[in-house]
Amino acid sequence: SAVISQKPSRDICQRGTSLTIQCQVDSQVTMMFWYRQQPGQSLTLIATANQGSEATYESGFVIDKFPISRPNLTFSTLTVSNMSPEDSSIYLCSVRTGGLFSYNEQFFGPGTRLTVL
Amino acid sequence: QQQVKQSPQSLIVQKGGISIINCAYENTAFDYFPWYQQFPGKGPALLIAIRPDVSEKKEGRFTISFNKSAKQFSLHIMDSQPGDSATYFCAAEGGGYQKVTFGTGTKLQVIP
């Protein structure tokens, strides 16, 4: 299993500013992901955070807006840049254990609730 | 192709009753179907999962029924309890595509 912590748990930010969300895992994991979840909605994958290389972004998400760092196998950050009220959402860090082609449980952090005014 | 359709959007069930949530998919490359349970203020947590080589999987009060030909699967919660009140997401993945496609979610409320 994997225990994931995120900081901050919530924040209220002003339009035009940036927020960096931290994700810490209690064990080394290969695959780490960042999701966005609008209140009462489903989860949308933002990107896969790759250790030692650039993140892989999903359609509709770009590096300039959501830069991601993955300095090691237990830590990642997601920055939400130049925020607007539309960025108000819950941001979730997630990891998968096991090998690249194995089906293993996906674990989620508690989320960071972001409100942009 | 990557969509997973989930219904109903919300569900109210009496304590002791059966809660049923349905999902359908299009992508025949999907070969792993997990269900996640999410409580308010928490991240989703894996509840139960099934592969398409079986038609049913049961864990305690939770059962997944899988119909490969119809490309449908469902979650049954027997003897529903107020503690089961949460949002449930079906999901699908497979074909070497190591990313999970989530359904739209079902908010379940179990009333005493």
Side-chain angles (χ1 to χ4, degrees):
Chain A
S1 67
V3 178
I4 304 170
S5 59
Q6 285 186 233
K7 288 181 182 179
S9 58
R10 57 176 63 225
D11 207 341
I12 301 173
C13 301
Q14 295 297 319
R15 180 195 299 258
T17 63
S18 297
L19 176 71
T20 295
I21 302 168
Q22 298 180 4
C23 175
Q24 180 73 53
V25 189
D26 69 341
S27 58
Q28 293 187 338
V29 292
T30 303
M31 305 191 76
M32 187 176 282
F33 307 92
W34 286 98
Y35 286 84
R36 184 170 72 182
Q37 184 178 28
Q38 307 281 0
Q41 302 294 317
S42 188
L43 292 85
T44 300
L45 181 62
I46 298 172
T48 302
N50 304 307
Q51 195 264 331
S53 63
E54 270 194 13
T56 304
Y57 290 85
E58 298 299 305
S59 175
F61 298 95
V62 294
I63 187 172
D64 289 346
K65 176 67 176 177
F66 298 100
I68 289 171
S69 77
R70 178 95 192 266
N72 56 53
L73 293 176
T74 64
F75 186 80
S76 177
T77 67
L78 169 75
T79 299
V80 186
S81 303
N82 188 25
M83 288 184 286
S84 66
E86 291 71 37
D87 295 319
S88 297
S89 190
I90 299 168
Y91 292 85
L92 294 151
C93 175
S94 178
V95 304
R96 291 175 73 99
T97 59
L100 187 62
F101 295 105
S102 62
Y103 295 106
N104 289 283
E105 183 172 350
Q106 188 152 339
F107 298 89
F108 288 85
T112 296
R113 182 179 291 271
L114 170 63
T115 302
V116 183
L117 303 178
Chain B
Q1 270 285 30
Q2 289 297 101
Q3 239 183 344
V4 177
K5 297 180 180 178
Q6 183 172 348
S7 63
Q9 187 174 354
S10 63
L11 183 60
I12 299 175
V13 173
Q14 204 88 30
K15 178 182 175 182
I18 302 173
S19 304
I20 302 175
I21 304 170
N22 300 299
C23 286
Y25 64 97
E26 289 294 324
N27 189 345
T28 55
F30 287 145
D31 57 6
Y32 182 67
F33 301 89
W35 285 86
Y36 287 85
Q37 179 187 55
Q38 184 177 29
F39 293 104
K42 305 290 185 183
L46 180 68
L47 182 64
I48 187 174
I50 196 170
R51 298 192 198 286
D53 53 346
V54 296
S55 60
E56 185 176 283
K57 183 173 182 180
K58 184 177 182 179
E59 289 184 2
R61 297 184 293 109
F62 300 90
T63 300
I64 301 178
S65 297
F66 188 85
N67 186 330
K68 188 174 181 179
S69 61
K71 293 186 285 187
Q72 295 175 346
F73 58 110
S74 60
L75 176 69
H76 296 236
I77 306 174
M78 311 300 287
D79 186 24
S80 299
Q81 299 296 313
D84 297 330
S85 298
T87 299
Y88 292 81
F89 292 95
C90 63
E93 61 178 277
Y97 186 66
Q98 286 274 296
K99 298 173 189 175
V100 180
T101 299
F102 287 90
T104 48
T106 297
K107 187 172 183 179
L108 171 65
Q109 184 181 358
V110 181
I111 55 177

